[in-house]
C-alpha cells in the first residue's frame, strides 16, 4: 500500500447474504480492504465469488448485512438513499462492462453530463481528458456510432470528469480485444495517477491485474 497517502476507501468486516425463494447465498463473510489515494488495485476471484456484489455495496447500490464502508470520512451505510446517490454523483466514478453511455447524448454531452450535475465541471480537466483519451474527433458522434474501445474511453472520461475520490470498474475491458484492452487500461492507469484518486478494478485477467499496484483476491467470502 502507498504509505503516507490518505485512505480513500476503507471496508471493514463486510458481510452480505442474498436470500431468495428459501435459498441463502452467503457471498461476503467479513471482507476487509483499504485503498489509498492514487493506489490502483486489481480485484480477482472466480465467477460467482462476489466481486460485483462488493463493488455494488461500495457504490451504495445495494446494502450490506453488516460491516462498514467508508469513503474518505463518509460512512456509506449512515447515508440515506438520496445521500448515497449524491455520493455516487460527486465522489465516485463507475465503469462497467456494458458501457452505459446515454444513447441520446453525443460524446461531448456524455462526458460532461455527470460532472455538470455534480457542479464539478472543470474545463481544463475536460480538455485534458478529451485529448488524452483521443476523443477530439468523436465529440459530435453518438454512442451507437462508436467502436467498443471508443465507447469504453468515453465511459472512463465520464467517470473521471468530476475528479472522483475513487474509480470503481467492473471488468471494464472484458468486451475488448487484448490490444485495445491494454491501451484503454494504460490510459485509465495514467489518468488515475493524474487525479490521485483510488482505483479498484475487477478483472479476470492476471495479465491486466499485474499492471496495477496491488492485487487482492476474493475467495470463499473473504479477501486475501
Ligand atoms: N441479486 C441477487 N440475488 C440473489 N443472488 C445473487 C444476486 N446477485 C448475485 N447473486 C449471487 O451471489 C454470488 C456472487 O455474485 P457476483 O455477481 O457478485 O459474482 P462475481 O464474482 O461478480 O462473478 P462474475 O465473475 O461471474 O461476474 C453468485 O452466487 C450470484 O449468483
Ligand atoms: Mg461480476
Amino acid at each position: 500500500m502507498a504509505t503516507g497517502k490518505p485512505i480513500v476507501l476503507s471496508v471493514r468486516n463486510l458481510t452480505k447474504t442474498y436470500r431468495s425463494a428459501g435459498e441463502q447465498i452467503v457471498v461476503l463473510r467479513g471482507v476487509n480492504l483499504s485503498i489509498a489515494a492514487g493506489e490502483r488495485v486489481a480485484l480477482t476471484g472466480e465467477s460467482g465469488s462476489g466481486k460485483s456484489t462488493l463493488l455494488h455495496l461500495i457504490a451504495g447500490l445495494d446494502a450490506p448485512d453488516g460491516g462498514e464502508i467508508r469513503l474518505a470520512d463518509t460512512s456509506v451505510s449512515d447515508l440515506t438513499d438520496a445521500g448515497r446517490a449524491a455520493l455516487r454523483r460527486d465522489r465516485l466514478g463507475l465503469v462497467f462492462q456494458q458501457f452505459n453511455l446515454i444513447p441520446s447524448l453525443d460524446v461531448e454531452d456524455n462526458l460532461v453530463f455527470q460532472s455538470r450535475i455534480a457542479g464539478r465541471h472543470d474545463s481544463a480537466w475536460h480538455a485534458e481528458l478529451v485529448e488524452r483519451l483521443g476523443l477530439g474527433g468523436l465529440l459530435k458522434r453518438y454512442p451507437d456510432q462508436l467502436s467498443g474501445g471508443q465507447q469504453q474511453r468515453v465511459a472512463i472520461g465520464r467517470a473521471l470528469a468530476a475528479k472522483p475520490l475513487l474509480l470503481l470498474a467492473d471488468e471494464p475491458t472484458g468486451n475488448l480485444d487484448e490490444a485495445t484492452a491494454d491501451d484503454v487500461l494504460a490510459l485509465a492507469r495514467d489518468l488515475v495517477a493524474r487525479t490521485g484518486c483510488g482505483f479498484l478494478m475487477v478483472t479476470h485477467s492476471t495479465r491486466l491485474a499485474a499492471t496495477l499496484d496491488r492485487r487482492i483476491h476474493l475467495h470463499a467470502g473473504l479477501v486475501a
Side-chain angles (χ1 to χ4, degrees):
M1 181 178 307
T3 49
K5 295 276 180 68
I7 298 294
V8 291
L9 172 69
S10 162
V11 172
R12 291 286 158 255
N13 284 320
L14 201 69
T15 54
K16 178 70 180 176
T17 296
Y18 289 111
R19 294 175 181 82
S20 56
E23 197 191 2
Q24 285 205 3
I25 304 164
V26 183
V27 183
L28 306 179
R29 297 172 190 268
V31 165
N32 293 298
L33 82 102
S34 295
I35 297 182
E39 200 183 16
R40 299 162 298 187
V41 179
L43 173 60
T44 57
E46 65 190 32
S47 182
S49 59
K51 305 178 299 295
S52 296
T53 298
L54 179 56
L55 255 61
H56 283 131
L57 295 176
I58 293 170
L61 293 165
D62 195 3
D65 296 324
E68 195 186 31
I69 299 164
R70 297 187 76 84
L71 278 167
D73 47 10
T74 304
S75 172
V76 177
S77 8
D78 287 350
L79 298 172
T80 60
D81 282 353
R84 280 192 283 274
L87 187 77
R88 269 195 300 283
R89 188 189 62 212
D90 299 346
R91 314 310 304 274
L92 286 179
L94 303 176
V95 181
F96 294 108
Q97 188 170 7
Q98 304 305 330
F99 315 118
N100 298 322
L101 299 176
I102 301 173
S104 58
L105 298 181
D106 66 16
V107 167
E108 172 105 64
D109 287 339
N110 263 286
L111 283 171
V112 299
F113 181 71
Q114 186 183 344
S115 58
R116 281 207 199 280
I117 291 179
R120 293 169 65 85
H121 181 71
D122 171 338
S123 318
W125 175 233
H126 172 75
E128 183 175 340
L129 282 173
V130 167
E131 207 245 291
R132 293 292 312 278
L133 291 164
L135 297 173
L138 303 174
L139 292 174
K140 292 299 158 212
R141 294 224 208 150
Y142 288 84
D144 65 1
Q145 302 170 320
L146 301 175
S147 72
Q150 290 167 340
Q151 289 184 50
Q152 198 57 312
R153 282 186 275 140
V154 177
I156 289 168
R158 175 182 62 176
L160 290 172
K163 291 199 176 164
L165 265 179
L166 178 67
L167 177 64
L168 295 172
D170 198 345
E171 291 191 66
T173 59
N175 282 327
L176 308 177
D177 66 74
E178 205 170 86
T180 308
D182 285 359
D183 289 349
V184 166
L185 183 56
L187 276 168
R189 279 198 312 268
D190 285 359
L191 290 169
V192 162
R194 259 302 263 122
T195 56
C197 67
F199 182 28
L200 180 60
M201 181 183 82
V202 171
T203 180
H204 279 108
S205 160
T206 45
R207 191 177 58 82
L208 290 181
T211 68
L212 300 190
D213 302 322
R214 186 156 65 93
R215 174 179 166 189
I216 57 178
H217 189 71
L218 188 55
H219 177 70
L222 296 171
V223 152

